[in-house]
Amino acid sequence: MGVVTEPQPSRRRATVHDVAREAGVSRGTVSRVLNGGYVSEQARAAIEAAIRTVGYVPNTAARNLVMQRSRAVGFIVHEPHALFLEDPNIGAIMLGANTVLSDADLQMVCLVTDSARDTERVTRYLSGGFVDGVIIVSARAADPITDAVVRLGVPAAFVGHPQTTVPLPWVGIDNFTAARDITRQLAKTGRKRVGMVAAALDRDSGADRLAGFKEALGDTFDPDLVVEIPLYEYTAGLRATQELLERAPDVDGIFAASDAVAAGVLTALRRSGRTVPDDVGVVGFDDSSWAERCFPPLSTVHQPAAGVGERAAQLVVAQLAGQDVPRDGVLLDSPIVWRDSA
Amino acid sequence: MGVVTEPQPSRRRATVHDVAREAGVSRGTVSRVLNGGYVSEQARAAIEAAIRTVGYVPNTAARNLVMQRSRAVGFIVHEPHALFLEDPNIGAIMLGANTVLSDADLQMVCLVTDSARDTERVTRYLSGGFVDGVIIVSARAADPITDAVVRLGVPAAFVGHPQTTVPLPWVGIDNFTAARDITRQLAKTGRKRVGMVAAALDRDSGADRLAGFKEALGDTFDPDLVVEIPLYEYTAGLRATQELLERAPDVDGIFAASDAVAAGVLTALRRSGRTVPDDVGVVGFDDSSWAERCFPPLSTVHQPAAGVGERAAQLVVAQLAGQDVPRDGVLLDSPIVWRDSA
């Protein structure tokens, strides 16, 4: 039975100015309260009272909507669970990106997608304008997230080379050349029967490392000495090595497609009674923090993971600033680090 | 000199219905396009034309604002760079949380804070309504993020026990009892001079592990056999062990406060010419994926990291559903896993 009053379109919405005037404080102080910063208890009480009096509604999300700016950049890790845990590079890439985004006062929001349902939800999240840009790690061919990014025109950069041709910049390393060079160096330690535990052949990194390995060995390449596993993963590396040793007990050198795989190779060799590097030389790929904690410490390819994350973030920040960036690849150096495993 | 038309308040904003009618497709098909899903090229073209014709503006952020629902939950990792990379548990906790949030159709957004600037920005992000709830890992005493969460009344759960008394639920393990029990088991292998590399004494986990160690040794506890390091970290563990061996060359057992620290202990012992477990027995804490890749594989305390993440996420989901949850701690089991290092 009450009287329903229509909202009055002419009535001005209360602003931070109104709150500040009512509370007798500066706008900056009001902003600090709204943004969760520190102010004196007295000022806070006055501002909270003023907010109620003038009917102010903080409106950050609406402002972001209007400005098309969330001040957030998504960091999308498109990996199955196991790999995310196995790959210490992802953390380093993430922290490198965070440093650059933080300098630009952008909030990095990391979105993990390890299922079809995650992928669908992340795609929705991107469409909802919750981020102004994205960094995508490990995009696969025919990836709905990549498709959505391209369709929505979200400023983006990839870590690693997406296998589909998309008009977006990417940052990576030259996996082919690095794999070729470390295989050559392994062979030069006097190895005659060099095998490989190859991984993730459905991505450019995995496929390129195998191609580099073949190139290095040339005529001496023997396909029987290559065992393939689906992911860069310890347990798979261990089992693959057991298979390799059954096939070719005389193998005397092994290139593991990643450090985690190499750790599995070392365990399998130890269990078979072989010593490293005397009986078998082993090299890895990544130079993750655990490479030097293996026993013996791994000879490996250094991936500039933090640098890759920084560069990818810079490419997104540049696009957000309206700059043109080349829609192709940036390759960073990946030197060989020689330790004791070969 | 044109005529400025005031916006007509009575004019209805175009909806998805209007777009669907105009395009001659179902609402569901329009939604799929808006959410970045797959539709035929023909349907997409028709819908895009219809969106322009009826003047439809996708309004996800505004809807979220009105509903007070972003359908996102923040996962805040409050760690310095080094520790984030050193601690494989964080990834496992994150993935455990993601599984539960994903089932609830909530987007997990991971926010890394490793500087004062990050902390300020994350606090702002929380205040801006970009997340409906938060999971906080490694909150420290007097943490501005914790303060903001409490002040804003954001549904939250902590991983680990925050050292300030906050009226919020937390999930963890009984570090004291686990440390006491594994120290006792180490001592029972016939060790007479048991030391500890203690870490992170500014947090409950680190302080409780040291207290459990003392409790286990009782009268035989010797403060000279404890070396303290600031973080759970490999290099610090290595150096601390070198110091311990100088102080007490007769040490025959070492409890390392984490697996990463234990890896440093193993390296230092190997460099000093001691064998493990014959000369010195070593135990760790975490049972991270790398525990079994150490040489020798580590005897350690299993942290149910994925389970901790799942439980914390369940507590946030329950609060979002309007359920009351106890504002205290949930302790999960942390059994001892005995391998070859002691």
Side-chain angles (χ1 to χ4, degrees):
Chain A
M1 310 291 185
V3 177
V4 179
T5 311
E6 286 292 318
Q8 295 171 265
S10 64
R11 191 180 166 187
R12 196 171 57 81
R13 193 184 167 97
T15 67
V16 171
H17 286 284
D18 303 321
V19 175
R21 195 168 41 230
E22 177 73 23
V25 299
S26 72
R27 272 187 70 201
T29 308
V30 176
S31 292
R32 272 211 299 291
V33 168
L34 295 174
N35 294 335
Y38 286 116
V39 299
S40 72
E41 270 315 305
Q42 199 184 355
R44 180 184 309 287
I47 289 164
E48 285 173 354
I51 285 173
R52 282 188 295 272
T53 305
V54 306
Y56 174 74
V57 180
N59 204 9
T60 312
R63 188 182 62 209
N64 289 331
L65 180 73
V66 172
M67 306 277 289
Q68 302 280 319
R69 294 301 285 265
S70 64
R71 304 292 307 159
V73 170
F75 183 95
I76 300 178
V77 183
H78 198 158
E79 293 285 8
H81 267 190
L83 193 56
F84 186 80
L85 296 179
E86 290 288 312
D87 188 350
N89 283 311
I90 292 178
I93 294 168
M94 193 190 296
L95 292 174
N98 190 51
T99 306
V100 170
L101 296 175
S102 186
D103 280 349
D105 200 29
L106 292 164
Q107 177 61 47
M108 182 179 78
V109 301
C110 173
L111 310 169
V112 175
T113 67
D114 85 313
S115 66
R117 180 195 281 172
D118 284 353
T119 301
E120 197 184 304
R121 209 185 42 249
V122 166
T123 305
R124 236 160 50 211
Y125 189 82
L126 297 180
S127 310
F130 286 98
V131 293
D132 298 336
V134 284
I135 295 164
I136 300 182
V137 180
S138 315
R140 251 68 58 85
D143 179 350
I145 293 178
T146 304
D147 291 349
V149 164
V150 173
R151 192 160 61 238
L152 296 164
V154 180
F158 289 89
V159 169
H161 192 179
Q163 290 189 306
T164 38
T165 309
V166 291
L168 289 168
W170 57 274
V171 184
I173 60 165
D174 183 345
N175 284 288
F176 174 84
T177 303
R180 186 195 62 195
D181 291 353
I182 198 164
T183 303
R184 281 186 183 155
Q185 194 156 337
L186 172 61
K188 272 191 198 148
T189 62
R191 313 293 168 173
K192 301 289 175 207
R193 295 277 288 162
V194 179
M196 177 173 182
V197 180
L201 297 181
D202 59 340
R203 309 181 197 195
D204 65 313
S205 64
D208 287 354
R209 289 174 201 178
L210 176 57
F213 173 79
K214 283 184 190 172
E215 169 81 8
L217 295 183
D219 291 346
T220 67
F221 171 74
D222 176 354
D224 275 354
L225 297 189
V226 176
V227 184
E228 297 176 13
I229 57 179
L231 296 175
Y232 298 111
E233 200 240 327
Y234 171 83
T235 309
L238 195 163
R239 296 208 183 113
T241 307
Q242 290 168 334
E243 189 184 324
L244 178 60
L245 294 175
E246 272 175 36
R247 274 195 219 164
D250 60 339
V251 70
D252 61 1
I254 300 177
F255 170 34
S258 83
D259 289 351
V261 174
V265 172
L266 292 177
T267 300
L269 290 171
R270 192 181 299 129
R271 288 189 190 166
S272 80
R274 288 167 173 86
T275 61
V276 175
D278 294 346
D279 297 331
V280 183
V282 176
V283 295
F285 204 108
D286 280 341
D287 195 26
S288 64
S289 59
W290 279 93
E292 56 180 330
R293 302 174 201 178
C294 285
F295 181 68
L298 278 177
S299 300
T300 187
V301 172
H302 178 75
Q303 287 232 54
V308 165
E310 287 165 15
R311 193 77 192 86
Q314 285 160 359
L315 286 164
V316 172
V317 170
Q319 291 172 70
L320 289 174
Q323 293 166 32
D324 246 357
V325 300
R327 308 276 149 170
D328 55 11
V330 177
L331 292 178
L332 302 190
D333 281 346
S334 55
I336 290 172
V337 180
W338 208 253
R339 295 198 182 91
D340 306 333
S341 64
Chain B
M1 309 298 175
V3 177
V4 178
T5 311
E6 286 293 317
Q8 294 172 267
S10 65
R11 191 181 165 187
R12 196 170 58 77
R13 191 185 169 95
T15 67
V16 171
H17 286 285
D18 303 322
V19 176
R21 196 168 40 230
E22 176 72 23
V25 300
S26 73
R27 274 188 68 202
T29 308
V30 176
S31 292
R32 271 211 301 289
V33 168
L34 295 174
N35 294 334
Y38 285 114
V39 299
S40 72
E41 270 315 303
Q42 197 184 357
R44 179 181 310 288
I47 289 165
E48 286 172 356
I51 285 173
R52 283 189 295 272
T53 305
V54 306
Y56 174 73
V57 180
N59 205 9
T60 312
R63 188 183 60 209
N64 290 331
L65 180 73
V66 172
M67 307 279 288
Q68 303 280 315
R69 294 301 284 266
S70 64
R71 304 291 308 161
V73 170
F75 183 94
I76 301 177
V77 182
H78 199 159
E79 295 283 10
H81 268 188
L83 193 58
F84 185 80
L85 296 179
E86 289 288 313
D87 187 349
N89 282 312
I90 293 178
I93 294 167
M94 191 191 298
L95 293 174
N98 190 51
T99 306
V100 169
L101 296 176
S102 185
D103 280 348
D105 200 28
L106 292 164
Q107 177 61 47
M108 183 179 78
V109 301
C110 174
L111 310 169
V112 175
T113 67
D114 85 312
S115 67
R117 180 194 281 172
D118 284 355
T119 301
E120 198 185 303
R121 209 185 42 250
V122 166
T123 306
R124 235 158 54 209
Y125 189 82
L126 296 180
S127 310
F130 286 98
V131 293
D132 298 336
V134 285
I135 296 164
I136 300 182
V137 180
S138 317
R140 252 67 59 86
D143 179 349
I145 293 179
T146 304
D147 292 349
V149 164
V150 172
R151 192 161 61 237
L152 296 164
V154 180
F158 288 89
V159 168
H161 192 179
Q163 290 187 308
T164 39
T165 310
V166 290
L168 289 170
W170 57 273
V171 184
I173 59 164
D174 183 345
N175 284 288
F176 174 85
T177 303
R180 186 194 63 193
D181 291 353
I182 198 162
T183 304
R184 281 187 184 155
Q185 194 155 340
L186 173 60
K188 272 191 200 150
T189 62
R191 313 292 169 176
K192 302 288 175 207
R193 296 276 287 162
V194 179
M196 176 172 181
V197 180
L201 297 181
D202 59 338
R203 308 180 198 194
D204 65 312
S205 63
D208 287 355
R209 289 175 202 178
L210 176 56
F213 173 79
K214 283 185 190 172
E215 169 82 7
L217 295 182
D219 292 345
T220 66
F221 171 74
D222 177 352
D224 275 355
L225 298 189
V226 176
V227 184
E228 297 176 12
I229 57 177
L231 295 175
Y232 298 111
E233 200 239 326
Y234 170 84
T235 309
L238 196 163
R239 296 206 184 114
T241 306
Q242 290 169 333
E243 190 185 325
L244 178 60
L245 294 175
E246 273 175 35
R247 273 194 217 166
D250 59 339
V251 71
D252 61 2
I254 299 177
F255 171 34
S258 83
D259 288 352
V261 174
V265 172
L266 292 177
T267 300
L269 290 172
R270 192 182 299 129
R271 289 190 188 165
S272 79
R274 288 167 174 85
T275 60
V276 175
D278 293 345
D279 297 331
V280 184
V282 177
V283 296
F285 203 109
D286 280 342
D287 195 27
S288 64
S289 59
W290 278 92
E292 56 179 331
R293 302 172 200 178
C294 285
F295 181 67
L298 278 178
S299 299
T300 188
V301 172
H302 178 74
Q303 286 232 54
V308 165
E310 287 166 15
R311 193 77 192 86
Q314 284 160 0
L315 286 165
V316 172
V317 170
Q319 291 171 71
L320 289 174
Q323 294 165 32
D324 246 355
V325 300
R327 306 276 148 168
D328 55 12
V330 178
L331 293 177
L332 302 189
D333 282 344
S334 54
I336 290 172
V337 180
W338 208 253
R339 296 198 181 91
D340 306 332
S341 65

